[in-house]
């Protein structure tokens, strides 16, 4: 599994000269939250920087642990911090902004200056799973290529991807999927992608999803369901994609009708 880049010492250095005003009518937890948020905005705490424990932070700022916990919760609720399983609380990464276009996450990451990597969790030929039958126009007996992958950006897990393709569409190998985007492999095989229907929603991470994405169970996820069509209007892909909410944005242009 890719390594974490957070550094415990970063916050200690950044907060060395920070003092809270105990005589102010502004609650101490909010003062602490505003001070840490400003450090994040100014770049003093970079994305991925790991925070010390609540106890250590409370001692450093001269406040109680419950007060410190309330400050951190305020920043988690604002999306400035994120709690990651096995790591602790870290500064949230800059989200990947995706246009409303038929593009690959792998290629979007590369074009934005991030380093994409992929871990293939499963790749098999199997009877079409229930959720993909109607979108792909297939029956239970029809064979499909069923794949599960985790996509990383700069060593952070940002997407859990389930893709289902008609079995006669293309031959794929795990090594190919680890190094190249699915859409590029399809185009290289002569498949002409033309359009897609897509729905965005929200859900909470269950235990397995949290484990794959290295986040806490119950953390919010952006859920994307997509059906992709070729130039002959044949459905060629069903996808169910899950993103930690702090890692995903959608960009769109609106015009007056």
């Amino acid at each position: 599994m890719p390594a974490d880049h957070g550094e415990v010492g970063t916050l200690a250095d950044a907060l060395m000269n920070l003092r809270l005003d105990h005589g102010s009518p502004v609650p101490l937890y909010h003062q602490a939250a505003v001070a840490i948020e400003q450090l994040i905005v100014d770049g003093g705490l970079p994305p991925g920087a790991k925070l010390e424990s609540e106890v250590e932070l409370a001692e450093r700022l001269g406040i109680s642990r419950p007060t410190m916990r309330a400050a951190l919760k305020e920043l988690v609720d604002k999306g400035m911090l994120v709690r990651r399983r096995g790591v602790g609380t870290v500064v949230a990464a800059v989200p990947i902004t995706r246009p409303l276009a038929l593009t690959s996450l792998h290629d979007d990451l590369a074009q934005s200056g991030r380093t994409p990597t992929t871990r293939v969790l499963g790749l098999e030929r199997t009877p079409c799973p229930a959720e993909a039958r109607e979108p792909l126009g297939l029956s239970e007996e029809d064979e499909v290529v069923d794949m599960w992958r985790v996509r990383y950006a700069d060593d952070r897990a940002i997407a859990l991807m389930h893709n289902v393709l008609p079995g006669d569409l293309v031959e794929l190998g795990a090594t190919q999927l680890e190094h190249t985007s699915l859409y590029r492999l399809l185009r290289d095989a002569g498949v002409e992608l033309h359009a897609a229907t897509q729905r965005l929603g929200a859900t909470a991470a269950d235990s397995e999803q949290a484990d794959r994405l290295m986040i806490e169970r119950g953390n919010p996820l952006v859920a994307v369901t997509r059906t992709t069509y070729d130039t002959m209007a044949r459905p060629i892909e069903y996808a169910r994609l899950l993103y930690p909410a702090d890692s995903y944005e959608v960009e769109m242009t609106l015009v007056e009708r």
Side-chain angles (χ1 to χ4, degrees), residues 175-195:
T175 300
Q176 291 175 293
L177 291 166
E178 288 173 354
H179 296 95
T180 309
S181 74
L182 174 59
Y183 282 2
R184 182 171 299 178
L185 291 172
L186 289 175
R187 291 186 176 104
D188 289 346
V191 179
E192 298 182 68
L193 284 67
H194 177 65

Side-chain angles (χ1 to χ4, degrees), residues 158-177:
I158 66 162
L160 177 60
M161 305 182 293
H162 180 210
N163 304 78
V164 183
L165 311 178
D168 61 353
L169 189 67
V170 67
E171 291 289 340
L172 295 172
T175 300
Q176 291 175 293
L177 291 166

Side-chain angles (χ1 to χ4, degrees), residues 76 82-86 88 203-221 244:
V76 169
V82 61
R83 303 185 193 278
R84 296 177 61 186
R85 176 178 297 179
T203 187
D206 62 24
S207 297
E208 182 178 359
Q209 293 161 353
D211 183 59
R212 298 301 190 189
L213 292 168
M214 300 177 66
I215 58 177
E216 295 293 331
R217 183 177 181 274
N219 275 19
L221 299 174

